[in-house]
Amino acid sequence: MGNSDPIIPRVPFEMCPIRSSLGVLGKKWTLLVMRDVAFYRLIKFSQILKNNRGLTPRVLSLRLMDLRKDGLIERVSDPKDQRVVKYRLTKKGNDTIPILTAFIQYGAQYHSEKVFEDGKPHQLAELFPERRVMLGRLLSYARGAREPSKSMMKSNSRPGTNTVT
């Protein structure tokens, strides 16, 4: 595996970005709703329900409301018929695509028997040949072009605080 040194960001446990993100994205059904909105681009309430067996209209309404409140999705009314409403990602919502991508890759690799007819692991490039969209703003980081600056690391460190991985 290589280097056994821990990878510890300079973030105190009380301010953990994972914990904060899970406040919105960690609720049941949320990532599946985000998946549908992200990959269909514009999707109706009924389509989201149809794609997610077991999801109830009430819970979907709550998740859509939470996601709108957090600024991840927006409602779009059809200009010809205001009764027809669809949902799409906002700019902030687009930043969840790499999170969804990581789940896709993990599932394609380690749960292939449940995902694919052939039961064999598949790579992300096979599923989505156009990967630029999948990594979003993380693309340059993934290519190694961006590393945290030393000043950023120092400004985030606080003596005597616990850090989280």
Side-chain angles (χ1 to χ4, degrees):
M1 184 111 174
N3 192 348
S4 63
D5 293 338
I7 303 171
I8 303 174
R10 309 252 185 234
V11 180
F13 279 121
E14 307 85 54
M15 299 165 58
C16 174
I18 293 173
R19 179 184 300 220
S20 177
S21 298
L22 286 174
V24 174
L25 298 176
K27 293 178 182 174
K28 187 173 181 179
W29 297 106
T30 298
L31 287 175
L32 295 175
V33 171
M34 288 298 294
R35 173 207 61 198
D36 288 1
V37 176
F39 296 121
Y40 284 97
R41 305 288 180 176
L42 274 172
I43 190 167
K44 293 194 279 186
F45 185 96
S46 60
Q47 290 171 298
I48 298 171
L49 273 179
K50 184 178 174 184
N51 291 343
N52 297 285
R53 191 175 31 166
L55 175 60
T56 64
R58 180 182 181 281
V59 171
L60 177 55
S61 293
L62 291 171
R63 293 303 164 261
L64 291 170
M65 190 171 48
D66 290 343
L67 292 167
R68 286 182 58 216
K69 183 178 168 186
D70 201 52
L72 296 171
I73 64 170
E74 61 187 355
R75 283 172 54 115
V76 180
S77 297
D78 187 318
K80 296 176 184 170
D81 185 353
Q82 294 293 312
R83 297 173 297 171
V84 177
V85 174
K86 294 183 180 182
Y87 297 90
R88 70 176 170 208
L89 294 180
T90 62
K91 185 174 180 175
K92 181 178 177 181
N94 280 326
D95 282 346
T96 65
I97 292 175
I99 297 166
L100 298 170
T101 301
F103 275 103
I104 292 167
Q105 180 59 57
Y106 184 85
Q109 185 70 38
Y110 297 109
H111 297 283
S112 57
E113 71 284 352
K114 297 175 187 173
V115 177
F116 303 111
E117 286 183 21
D118 65 8
K120 296 178 183 174
H122 292 266
Q123 293 299 311
L124 190 62
E126 296 174 61
L127 305 173
F128 298 95
E130 185 58 44
R131 290 186 303 257
R132 274 181 298 138
V133 173
M134 303 303 291
L135 294 177
R137 296 187 314 156
L138 294 176
L139 181 61
S140 62
Y141 180 79
R143 288 183 174 156
R146 186 190 325 167
E147 293 183 18
S149 68
K150 289 181 183 178
S151 63
M152 186 160 111
M153 295 296 284
K154 285 180 184 177
S155 68
N156 286 337
S157 66
R158 294 191 181 129
T161 58
N162 294 327
T163 56
V164 64
T165 58

